[in-house]
Amino acid sequence: MIENIEYIYFYINDKKVSITLNKDNLTTLDLLSYLPLTISFSDFNNTEKIGYLPNKLKVDDNSRGSEANKGMLNYYIPWGNLCFFYKDYSYSSSLVNIGKLTNDNDLSLLSNISDNTSIRIDVK
């Protein structure tokens, strides 16, 4: 069951990076329903890596608004993309928090991926 899933994993080449999920929102649960999924990530604003999903995710009003701290995985509502922050940024009412890196040591791996890197996202 989707509700029992605690982590998602980013597979970057031969590395596995875990994200501890924030399951207090509809957006995270909707993302889980699309997995496994492979999307291309690129750098944005020298602050985050972004990847566009094939479909926009559902958002409830209670989950709108999140900090954009390094290590966080968020969903950006207007563009329909996942955004992984490798530098701290400001709060935005257009972000929904999906989760956070489980191991801070993986921050450099994600921050150093080159543009248009395909990353598989899965629950196992």
Side-chain angles (χ1 to χ4, degrees):
M1 293 182 82
I2 289 176
E3 295 81 19
N4 296 332
I5 297 170
E6 299 293 326
Y7 306 96
I8 58 173
Y9 302 96
F10 280 26
Y11 291 89
I12 307 165
N13 300 320
D14 61 343
K15 304 283 191 222
K16 180 179 179 179
V17 174
S18 64
I19 307 290
T20 304
L21 293 176
N22 173 11
K23 297 189 305 181
D24 293 338
N25 62 64
L26 177 64
T27 307
T28 301
L29 297 177
D30 196 28
L31 174 63
L32 290 173
S33 71
Y34 287 101
L35 301 182
L37 177 70
T38 300
I39 58 176
S40 179
F41 278 80
S42 294
D43 197 76
F44 184 77
N45 201 30
N46 292 317
T47 305
E48 61 188 289
K49 301 294 182 176
I50 64 171
Y52 290 92
L53 297 165
N55 300 301
K56 287 197 171 191
L57 299 177
K58 297 174 186 170
V59 177
D60 57 4
D61 287 337
N62 295 335
S63 59
R64 289 177 179 265
S66 177
E67 296 294 329
N69 298 326
K70 64 182 173 183
M72 293 180 85
L73 177 66
N74 290 325
Y75 176 69
Y76 186 60
I77 300 164
W79 295 353
N81 65 280
L82 291 179
C83 41
F84 169 75
F85 288 88
Y86 61 89
K87 290 183 183 173
D88 290 338
Y89 199 67
S90 58
Y91 172 90
S92 173
S93 61
S94 296
L95 292 174
V96 176
N97 180 250
I98 300 291
K100 184 167 179 17
L101 274 177
T102 305
N103 182 347
D104 289 336
N105 293 332
D106 290 330
L107 185 64
S108 64
L109 176 65
L110 283 169
S111 64
N112 289 319
I113 62 171
S114 24
D115 283 351
N116 298 314
T117 298
S118 290
I119 296 176
R120 186 168 62 90
I121 306 169
D122 204 345
V123 296
K124 52 186 173 178

